[in-house]
Amino acid sequence: MGGQPAERGGRTTRRAFVTTASTAAVVAGIGVAGCLGQTRDERTIVMTGDTDFQDIMHTDDGEPSVQEALWEAGLDEDLTVEVQASVDDSAQRMQQYQSALQAGRSPPDIFMMDSGWTIPFILRDQTTNLTEVLPTNVRDRVENEYLEAALETARDPETGDLHAIPLFPDFGTMLYRRDLIEDAGYETEGWGTDPPSWQEFAEATAETQDAAGTQYGFTTQAAAYEGLSCCSFVEVMSTWGGAYFGGTENLFTAGDRPITVDEGPVLDAIRMMRAFIHGSEDDHALEDYPQICPTAIVQWSEQESLGPFSNGDAVAHRNWPFAIAETGGDDAFGEDLGVMPMPYAVSAEDAGYEGVGGTAAALGGWHLALNPNTAQDERALEVLKAFTHDEVMLTIFELQGFLPPILDLVEEADPDEIGPVARYVDQIQIAGENAVPRPVTDVWPEQSALAFQEIHAAYRGAKSPEAAMDDLNGRLEQSERDVEGQNGD
């Protein structure tokens, strides 16, 4: 999400500035290739990452760390993993990786890649085919036990071969003030596993806002940035049974797929948001849906939209699991925080396309990919294998709150270590089971920008939903034709 606050798979990090010398070098333009200079120890494996992951790889003596967990998982104790932190902005990091790979540079030996743009690197032959080099037992465990939605963004869409190992996934969830909503007369006991319809959610939020006197009803992300097209709108659109390119089987191969953004479910999703933002006076608002959002959401990404909710000024809020940790502690809302999968308008059975309808969560997260240029391929592969062990995933989860790619492990984590998230295991698992990846192809960066511009125009009221989606439909059709021509089809 270039130009926005530092972002990680849809999740905004609280660290906007990085102070390590290695990161300063990257920002200054030296690049990841020079991160260890000419004094590199062959027993050191270098992986790129963000500042948060760098912090937990090595910790103070006696404190748990990812490095210790890797050794305990069987990694040779003579091998050390160093995380060289790049800028936290995902789009800028993608550009740096592209430059390093085009130049054939190494280190790094392992790249930490956003699940939202791993496939383009795979299609450009800039990653190692792990299906060919991983031991069968490791490959089978990843393929059979890891979250399928995450694996889909780590595979070659043409061959199905695995080119990256999911490190951690991220999902959108709905947070709400359970105490306030129940005081307003609504029963929320079942919402955690069986979310209400959008209409019931909206009515409950509006009535609670009036009864409790909160400044806002519902806050979410609706600025003109990647997070709108990839995530918050994908959730709304999917829960109405709509999609950019028909069913989820069309997510990863561009050039010959239907464009479905001008169809009724997508338009209704926008009309609902118009009602939420502008109210019934808007001629394009969906009937019977109250105004529950401030107009300012069209300027908000993750952190801006979280602030009013965490301050007690909103009834409900859409965000990533990090927001649960920030608002569910005893010093915040504690057990008064409710969490549920996304509300929905159309059931999966009634949706016209495969993979949409019912509750849906946008998929974020990061993968580990082996640099094909590394001279340390065997040792780096040993590191990747160690990352697939349960104790390593649990250590990462307990130290930094990054969800394990085997979601069943959430239940095995120490509740004292993971904090408020422990209360919402069922909700997180349901969100993961209904995760919807963005349509990641080589042309998604271009298509994403087209999408968020038109969605944003419709949300603001600068265009009608029909006009915005007609324009988007035409521009996506042209983009798809361009890809067909490049592929010689």
Side-chain angles (χ1 to χ4, degrees):
M1 301 181 201
Q4 296 301 316
E7 180 272 337
R8 196 168 51 240
R11 169 180 172 177
T12 304
T13 179
R14 291 185 294 279
R15 294 189 181 90
F17 301 99
V18 182
T19 58
T20 64
S22 59
T23 302
V26 172
V27 174
I30 295 175
V32 291
C35 55
L36 291 183
Q38 298 181 354
T39 61
R40 180 180 182 185
D41 182 348
E42 290 186 355
R43 307 297 294 178
T44 298
I45 298 301
V46 181
M47 64 176 278
T48 60
D50 59 19
T51 53
D52 284 349
F53 206 84
Q54 184 184 53
D55 288 345
I56 63 174
M57 179 58 71
H58 301 281
T59 56
D60 295 335
D61 290 342
E63 295 294 323
S65 70
V66 176
Q67 179 68 79
E68 290 289 343
L70 291 169
W71 286 331
E72 290 174 6
L75 183 66
D76 188 333
E77 293 197 5
D78 288 336
L79 276 180
T80 300
V81 180
E82 293 292 341
V83 176
Q84 298 296 332
S86 178
V87 291
D88 283 330
D89 181 86
S90 177
Q92 292 181 34
R93 204 185 313 177
M94 176 182 66
Q95 294 167 359
Q96 290 177 349
Y97 292 3
Q98 180 68 7
S99 297
L101 285 163
Q102 284 178 337
R105 295 198 294 256
S106 174
D109 307 295
I110 297 171
F111 285 101
M112 183 173 163
M113 289 190 173
D114 191 323
S115 65
W117 41 253
T118 302
I119 285 178
F121 284 92
I122 296 172
L123 293 174
R124 292 192 294 265
D125 295 323
Q126 293 176 323
T127 55
T128 299
N129 187 334
L130 298 181
T131 292
E132 296 177 349
V133 297
L134 280 174
T136 301
N137 64 320
V138 176
R139 185 182 69 240
D140 288 349
R141 181 167 194 247
V142 172
E143 293 278 8
N144 295 329
E145 298 184 32
Y146 276 43
L147 180 70
E148 179 61 26
L151 287 173
E152 288 176 351
T153 64
R155 295 186 182 115
D156 184 327
E158 297 174 353
T159 67
D161 288 348
L162 189 70
H163 280 247
I165 292 177
L167 178 62
F168 63 88
D170 232 351
F171 323 114
T173 58
M174 183 70 77
L175 285 60
Y176 62 95
R177 289 290 301 277
R178 176 165 37 209
D179 54 335
L180 300 184
I181 289 180
E182 292 189 348
D183 286 346
Y186 283 85
E187 176 54 61
T188 68
E189 183 177 355
W191 284 9
T193 54
D194 185 16
S197 68
W198 276 114
Q199 188 163 16
E200 181 184 354
F201 164 80
E203 290 172 353
T205 299
E207 291 186 24
T208 301
Q209 180 181 358
D210 290 341
T214 59
Q215 186 175 2
Y216 305 126
F218 172 45
T219 61
T220 185
Q221 302 84 50
Y225 77 126
E226 168 80 2
L228 177 61
S229 52
C230 82
C231 303
S232 59
F233 183 69
V234 161
E235 289 168 352
V236 174
M237 175 174 62
S238 298
T239 57
W240 272 90
Y244 289 119
F245 303 106
T248 50
E249 71 272 14
N250 298 321
L251 289 175
F252 307 124
T253 304
D256 183 23
R257 53 185 174 173
I259 311 297
T260 55
V261 294
D262 59 349
E263 295 182 355
V266 179
L267 296 176
D268 282 341
I270 295 175
R271 292 180 185 122
M272 181 185 75
M273 291 303 301
R274 288 279 287 255
F276 286 176
I277 298 169
H278 303 289
S280 59
E281 294 183 0
D282 185 337
D283 291 339
H284 297 282
L286 199 62
E287 292 184 2
D288 301 323
Y289 283 80
Q291 181 178 3
I292 55 175
C293 293
T295 56
I297 68 166
V298 298
Q299 301 172 343
W300 287 351
S301 56
E302 281 80 1
Q303 288 293 71
E304 295 95 339
S305 61
L306 175 60
F309 181 75
S310 61
N311 292 336
D313 295 327
V315 176
H317 173 65
R318 179 268 173 208
N319 218 315
W320 307 93
F322 85 98
I324 299 173
E326 290 200 11
T327 59
D330 292 337
D331 57 344
F333 301 134
E335 295 191 7
D336 286 336
L337 177 70
V339 177
M340 64 177 168
M342 287 297 149
Y344 63 96
V346 174
S347 69
E349 293 75 18
D350 292 335
Y353 296 111
E354 185 71 27
V356 297
T359 188
L363 176 71
W366 290 78
H367 301 328
L368 296 179
L370 185 61
N371 186 348
N373 307 305
T374 180
Q376 299 278 73
D377 51 343
E378 291 186 7
R379 294 186 176 110
L381 191 62
E382 291 300 311
V383 172
L384 289 183
K385 287 161 53 180
F387 268 105
T388 68
H389 283 254
D390 290 358
E391 55 264 41
V392 177
M393 298 183 214
L394 286 170
T395 297
I396 293 169
F397 184 32
E398 292 172 358
L399 291 180
Q400 198 58 268
F402 297 147
L403 296 169
I406 300 178
L407 284 181
D408 288 345
L409 292 178
V410 172
E411 297 180 355
E412 299 182 20
D414 184 345
D416 293 334
E417 295 293 337
I418 64 175
V421 175
R423 293 197 300 268
Y424 308 103
V425 170
D426 289 344
Q427 293 91 321
I428 288 171
Q429 288 183 322
I430 291 172
E433 291 165 2
N434 292 277
V436 179
R438 69 200 77 176
V440 182
T441 64
D442 229 353
V443 292
W444 171 245
E446 168 198 329
Q447 293 178 336
S448 173
L450 298 175
F452 69 64
Q453 290 165 9
E454 296 297 343
I455 297 162
H456 190 252
Y459 276 14
R460 288 188 295 113
K463 288 184 176 181
S464 70
E466 293 82 0
M469 291 303 99
D470 282 348
D471 288 347
L472 179 59
N473 188 86
R475 298 173 80 180
L476 291 178
E477 284 183 345
Q478 181 61 56
S479 176
E480 295 284 304
R481 284 196 297 271
D482 291 345
V483 175
E484 277 191 304
Q486 292 170 5
N487 292 337
D489 295 334

